[in-house]
Structure formats: structure tokens, C-alpha cells
Amino acid sequence: MRTDGRQDPPGGPRTGGRTAPVGEWSLVIPLKPLTLAKSRLASTAGEALRPRLALAFALDTVAAALACPAVRDVAVVTDDRTAGGALARLGARIVPDTPGDGLNAALVHGVLAVRGTRPGVPVAALNADLPALRPAELARVLSHAAGFPRAFLPDAAGIGTTLLAAGRGVELRPGFGGRSRSRHSASGAVEIRLDGVDSVRRDVDTGDDLAAALALGVGPRTTESLASAPVPEG
């Protein structure tokens, strides 16, 4: 029984065949500067709304992640001061993107920062653009991932990756970008194949992706952003 009002997932997360304590995972979420994020949404949402949506996606993603019973903390790797301030207010740790050398370098840096204070902690890289993310579905994914040294969840398109997990003391070895599903599989990470975790797989890069996320039901920040400046139809 938890004391913080949240329910544990059935069976709890598992590590090496043993039930692991809830709240052990540290998530690392990379976020580009808002002026550069979600560039493929510009043609659908418009240039003015695009950075606002990128921030809303990240806020809804982090809020859901922090509400997940399997998650202890969330570190966001970003140099965007606006996003960093808003995400810190939710309870995320903000890690400056010191390498400044792209997504995978940011993730490696984030993991080093997390494990610098909690050595050997299990970590998972998670996309920042999962506005429909459900805490219970994320808990299921992490529970499954805990049974392997490294595991990943492919995105809804079956080409990319939305989550890559590494167990205690295991190197993350991220290979995000483009066809990362095949890259992570070739690296030895186990593909997570679960039904009913659509919200963890539904990243948003295009107008069609956004429509699919809306059909699942997005979080309050994304809903508010779209209500104040709706995406044009057609």
C-alpha cells in the first residue's frame, strides 16, 4: 500500500525475476529548444502555435511520468529556459544540455547526471512528445522492461522508439533518431511487445500524429493550448 495516494500496478515492477520496489525508475527526457522543436507540425499548427504545443506536449508527458507509480524521478535535459522553468515547477530535475551534440549525447549526459547522485539506478529514456501518456500504461511498460538488461518500446509507426530502458548498472546506449527501432534491436535491446500501451507509443511529429493523440485523449496542457489557438482544419 502506497502512502502517496497512488496505486501500484498489478504485481509491481520486476527485476531479475524478483518483485522490485515501486518508484525505482529514473526517467531521462530530452527536449530541444522550443524554437526548434516539432518543426514538422508547423505546416499543420502554424509557426506561432508550434513551440507552444511542443511545451504543452512536454508538460503533459512529464506530469504523467511523475504520476506513474514505477517512477521515482524525472530529469529533463534541455537548455530552454522557458521550458526548464515550467517543467521544474512540475517537479522535474532540469539538466543543462552541456554536450550540445544532439539527442543521443543529451541522453547519455542525462543518465550520467542521474547516476551521479543515485549510482546504478535503473533508467529509461522517454520521448518528450507523448501528450496522451497514461501513468498506468507507462508502469506496465517499465514493469516489463525491468525483466531485461535493456529493452525498448517502438513508436506507433513501428519505425522509431519512444522508450529505451536500462537496468541497474547497465549502460543505456541510446540510438534514437530515424529508424531507431531496428538500431536498438541490433544493439541487443529487447523489444517490448505489449497490447494496451498505445499512449506510451503515440509520439507526435505530424498533424496526423496529433489527430491520433487527440483520439486517445491528450493531457490538460495540450488541450488548453489547442483550445486557445486551434489547429486549422484541412
Side-chain angles (χ1 to χ4, degrees), residues 134-149:
R134 303 288 191 269
E137 293 183 16
L138 178 58
R140 287 188 62 216
V141 172
L142 291 172
S143 177
H144 189 83
F148 307 95

Side-chain angles (χ1 to χ4, degrees), residues 5-22:
R6 299 184 298 192
Q7 293 184 343
D8 298 341
R14 300 187 64 82
T15 302
R18 303 186 304 276
T19 300
V22 295

Side-chain angles (χ1 to χ4, degrees), residues 1 10 12 16 31 33 46 67 91 116 126 130 139 147 159 165 172 181 186 197 205 215 220 227:
M1 179 74 178
L31 180 63
L126 184 70
L130 302 170
I159 296 172
L172 185 63
R181 179 185 187 179
V197 293
D205 288 314

Side-chain angles (χ1 to χ4, degrees), residues 22 28 59 61 71 132 144 196:
V22 295
V28 180
L59 289 168
T61 299
V71 173
H144 189 83

Side-chain angles (χ1 to χ4, degrees), residues 213-228:
L214 289 170
L216 289 175
V218 297
R221 290 91 176 170
T222 301
T223 299
E224 182 180 356
S225 292
L226 290 171
S228 61

